[in-house]
Amino acid sequence: MVILIIACLVFAAAFLFQERRERYVPAVVLKGLASVCFVILGILFSPGTLLAKRIVCGLILGCIADVLLNLRYVVGEKGQLVFLLGILVFLSGHILYLAAVAGLSANWPVCLAVGAVLTALLMAWIFRRITAKPAFKIFGVFYLGAIMILNCVAAGNLIANPSAFTGLFAAGAVFFLVSDIVLILNTFGSETRQSLRVTNVSLYYVGQLLIALSLRFAA
């Protein structure tokens, strides 16, 4: 477990180093390796239940999306299409996470309503700070909406049934959400900063590792 966590963080740091120097091919490889680490961690901890299988599939989709997002720097003119495909794959992963934990929630309609309201407020705040094409904004609404609802359901599960699993999963979901907000602001904002890129990647991998680790305590 410790070796996989360290390997994930080392690969992620090496990815940032290569990306900063615009060596995009080795950067894609290193990012993929970092993501494979949290996938393996999830598989090792999975108890084989339906909940666990859905989370593992979500981790796998996250790994695939990680590669797609950085392939946009390698494939030239098809970069925007590959980026949107990566977002779509990430969205599919979030939906699997949500499908995994929604069954634990007795108040999911309330969580859904709260998530919808928070998504509207968040998107209104973000749209005032970014410039992006309509297609990216549409994808962004659905994407952040899914992860916001996931956070509300995860938080509701933690409040209703405090445990190591619900705590780790909820923490991972929060890190994931904050990471995506930073990514959007840094990608489509007025200025791209390396410090925000490091923050985005760091929060993302911590979030995925926490979600993978939560499977150790899943029923």
Side-chain angles (χ1 to χ4, degrees):
M1 178 184 75
V2 175
I3 292 175
L4 282 171
I5 292 174
I6 293 174
C8 178
L9 298 177
V10 169
F11 282 134
F15 152 71
L16 286 169
F17 179 82
Q18 295 292 345
E19 184 186 62
R20 177 65 172 171
R21 282 150 183 78
E22 300 183 357
R23 299 170 182 166
Y24 296 123
V25 173
V28 169
V29 174
L30 287 165
K31 194 179 187 187
L33 289 172
S35 300
V36 165
C37 290
F38 63 64
V39 171
I40 295 174
L41 195 65
I43 292 172
L44 291 176
F45 283 148
S46 173
T49 60
L50 179 59
L51 178 149
K53 288 177 180 178
R54 287 174 174 173
I55 291 177
V56 169
C57 287
L59 292 170
I60 293 171
L61 289 176
C63 178
I64 295 171
D66 284 335
V67 174
L68 288 173
L69 290 186
N70 268 76
L71 272 180
R72 74 185 189 272
Y73 298 120
V74 178
V75 297
E77 295 180 355
K78 297 181 179 179
Q80 288 190 355
L81 179 61
V82 172
F83 183 79
L84 288 174
L85 181 59
I87 295 176
L88 181 60
V89 175
F90 259 132
L91 175 60
S92 301
H94 293 325
I95 292 173
L96 278 171
Y97 286 156
L98 182 59
V101 299
L104 303 178
S105 175
N107 298 310
W108 66 264
V110 175
C111 296
L112 182 64
V114 172
V117 172
L118 291 178
T119 298
L121 294 173
L122 177 61
M123 296 310 299
W125 180 78
I126 287 177
F127 284 161
R128 289 197 298 268
R129 289 161 174 79
I130 67 170
T131 301
K133 295 181 179 180
F136 286 96
K137 289 187 176 182
I138 293 171
F139 268 86
V141 169
F142 284 102
Y143 180 81
L144 283 182
I147 193 170
M148 182 64 79
I149 292 171
L150 173 64
N151 269 263
C152 291
V153 171
N157 289 343
L158 177 59
I159 293 171
N161 182 28
S163 68
F165 169 72
T166 56
L168 286 170
F169 189 93
V174 170
F175 274 99
F176 214 140
L177 175 62
V178 177
S179 169
D180 284 335
I181 293 172
V182 173
L183 172 64
I184 291 171
L185 294 176
N186 200 40
T187 302
F188 301 107
S190 58
E191 181 182 358
T192 300
R193 300 179 184 178
Q194 181 62 17
S195 59
L196 291 179
R197 180 58 171 159
V198 172
T199 301
N200 153 231
V201 172
S202 301
L203 291 174
Y204 168 73
Y205 279 104
V206 170
Q208 289 283 47
L209 285 170
L210 286 172
I211 289 173
L213 285 169
S214 72
L215 291 173
R216 184 179 185 182
F217 306 98

